[in-house]
Structure formats: C-alpha cells, structure tokens
C-alpha cells in the first residue's frame, strides 16, 4: 500500500533556486564582497548540495588564497543570505510548482501522509509553507531538513531520516525530486522516484526515476513527458501513483 509521498523542496515543491542565487548576491553586495553568481555559474555550483557547502566550495575553488579569512565569515554571509532570500520570497517570488497543491490536497483528503526531505534549512521550508498554506494547517506530517542529516544528498541520509520519522518501509512511499543527486539519494534510501525537471536541472540526466516529467501537471495544463512511466492526460494524480505503485510491487510497471 502507498502510505506516503516524500518531497524535495528546492526545484521540486517550488522554483526556489534562483531566489537563493539572488539572496547570495544580495548578501555579497551588502558585505562588500566583489562576487556575483550568474545563472550559469550557479547551475554549476548547484552540483554541490547545501547552501553552506556550496559557499565553501566556491571559496575554496575561486578564492583559495583568501580561504582562511573567508571561511571565518561564512556564518555571517549565510545568515544574511537567508534573510535576503526571505525578503525576496515575501515579495511574491515563492509559489508552488504546477500540480503540487492539487496532489498535496489529494493526499491529505485520502489519508496518504506527506513528508519533506531536503538539504535546505528549516526556516526556508517554514517560509514556503507559510506563504503557500497561510490559512490552513501545515500539510506535511514530517520535515527532515538542513543539517539534520550527517551527509547531504546524494547520500541517502535525509530520505532515510524522513522514512524513519514516518515509521514506514521505503517501499511504502514515493519520492519526488528534480535533480540527479536527489534521485541518487532517494534510490539509495530504497525509495522509488518521480522526477520533475526544474529550471536549474534542465541538463541533468534523470536516470533511475521511474518517471520523469516537466511538472506534475494540471487538468487544463498537462505536463510534458520526458522518460519512463506515462501519466494519463499528462497529470500525476494520487490514483495514478497508487496504480503505478501497486503494479510495481507486483512486478508490473
């Protein structure tokens, strides 16, 4: 039986990545750092999972001579980036991706549990939920976030933590991801994966996902299939997920 849906956040629940990029650039300017992360550079930096880890990688790669002093400033940089991200998000730039709200509502109505498994920090998740579910109870039963796991994706730790907190077997859930590293993480935790390609993962191979689509789709705006399992009408529904899950468990799809 399908008991839970487990979602990544950045690029999966919402197209947040460019807001993170802008937040970093605002922090750099405010702190007098002559850095600018272009969309092209940020696409490369996103291969490193986690904002703090991404910043460390950038310092070590592009500013090795100054690394010791810059590393000491990392908490200040990241804290200001988080505040800047929040300001950008509250200005109207943080809406859910197509089909997400519909699928979340279907799951809640039919007793399928919901979880988040992400490398982003908890305040960013809370803000996304606050802005998109302002007048209702928080929809996710479990949130596994940020520094709660010993290793970032593609290690399985954060998905394994979400599964543990749900109290289920990995075979009883489906993971939703947008990146190659996220897919590897979920698979390593024993979860089947549905991939929805996002702005910053257009070049990613989505191998390992049982289905890859442009987004979850809406009845009046179907998604574009990429590879794997095809969804009737171009819309990922809870009934469709249950059908795939049942067939998969019995050696079907």
């Amino acid at each position: 039986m399908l008991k839970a849906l487990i979602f990544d956040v950045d690029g999966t629940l919402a197209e947040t990545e460019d807001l993170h990029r802008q937040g970093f650039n605002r922090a750099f300017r405010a702190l007098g750092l002559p850095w600018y992360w272009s969309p092209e550079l940020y696409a490369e930096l996103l291969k490193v999972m986690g904002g703090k880890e991404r910043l460390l990688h950038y310092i070590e790669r592009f500013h090795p001579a100054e690394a010791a002093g810059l590393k000491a400033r990392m908490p200040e940089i990241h804290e200001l980036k988080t505040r800047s991200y929040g300001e950008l998000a509250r200005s109207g730039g943080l809406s859910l991706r197509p089909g997400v709200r519909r699928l979340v509502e279907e799951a809640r109505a039919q007793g399928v549990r919901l979880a988040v498994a992400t490398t982003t920090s908890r305040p960013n998740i809370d803000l996304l939920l606050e802005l998109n579910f302002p007048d209702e109870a928080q929809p996710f039963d479990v949130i596994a976030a940020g520094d709660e796991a010993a290793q970032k994706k593609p290690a399985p730790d954060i998905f394994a933590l979400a599964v543990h907190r749900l109290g289920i077997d990995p075979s009883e859930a489906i993971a939703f991801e947008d990146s190659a590293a996220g897919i590897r993480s979920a698979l390593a935790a024993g979860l089947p994966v549905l991939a929805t390609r996002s702005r910053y993962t257009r070049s990613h191979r989505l191998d390992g996902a049982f289905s890859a689509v442009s987004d979850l789709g809406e009845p009046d705006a179907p998604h574009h299939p990429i590879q794997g399992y095809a969804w009737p009408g171009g819309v990922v529904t809870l009934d469709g997920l249950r059908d795939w899950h049942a067939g998969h468990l019995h050696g079907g799809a």
Side-chain angles (χ1 to χ4, degrees), residues 13-155:
L13 284 182
E15 285 279 14
T16 57
E17 293 294 10
D18 205 60
L19 291 185
H20 286 296
R21 181 186 71 86
Q22 294 175 51
F24 273 114
N25 285 334
R26 281 192 177 192
F28 301 154
R29 288 195 302 272
L31 296 172
L33 294 166
W35 303 345
Y36 175 74
W37 288 3
S38 67
E40 294 75 21
L41 173 59
Y42 198 60
E44 287 299 311
L45 294 175
L46 280 173
K47 294 177 182 177
V48 178
M49 304 302 289
K52 295 173 185 175
E53 291 78 7
R54 199 167 298 137
L55 181 59
L56 176 61
H57 170 78
Y58 174 78
I59 289 170
E60 292 179 337
R61 179 177 175 186
F62 292 98
H63 302 279
E66 310 162 78
L70 291 171
K71 287 178 184 178
R73 299 187 67 185
M74 280 182 54
E76 176 189 23
I77 297 170
H78 194 265
E79 180 181 355
L80 183 53
K81 174 262 172 183
T82 299
R83 291 208 305 268
S84 298
Y85 171 86
E87 292 166 3
L88 290 163
R90 290 183 185 281
S91 69
L94 195 58
S95 58
L96 299 174
R97 292 192 67 194
V100 169
R101 179 181 297 278
R102 172 187 51 75
L103 186 57
V104 165
E105 290 175 352
E106 289 176 11
R108 293 179 71 191
Q110 298 185 47
V112 173
R113 301 179 74 198
L114 296 163
V116 160
T118 179
T119 57
T120 200
S121 60
R122 182 61 187 258
N124 293 338
I125 303 166
D126 291 341
L127 179 61
L128 184 149
L129 298 178
E130 173 193 335
L131 293 176
N132 286 284
F133 300 93
D135 300 319
E136 50 196 294
Q138 199 276 103
F140 290 89
D141 301 282
V142 164
I143 293 177
D147 297 329
E148 291 188 286
Q151 298 183 80
K152 303 288 187 182
K153 301 173 185 178

Side-chain angles (χ1 to χ4, degrees), residues 169-205:
D169 188 270
S171 66
E172 298 173 316
I174 291 174
F176 294 77
E177 267 287 353
D178 73 307
S179 70
I183 292 169
R184 293 199 301 273
S185 174
L187 291 174
L191 293 156
V193 188
L194 191 158
T196 58
R197 179 165 281 162
S198 65
R199 171 179 177 177
Y200 277 100
T201 61
R202 289 172 185 165
S203 65
H204 286 213
R205 294 182 62 87

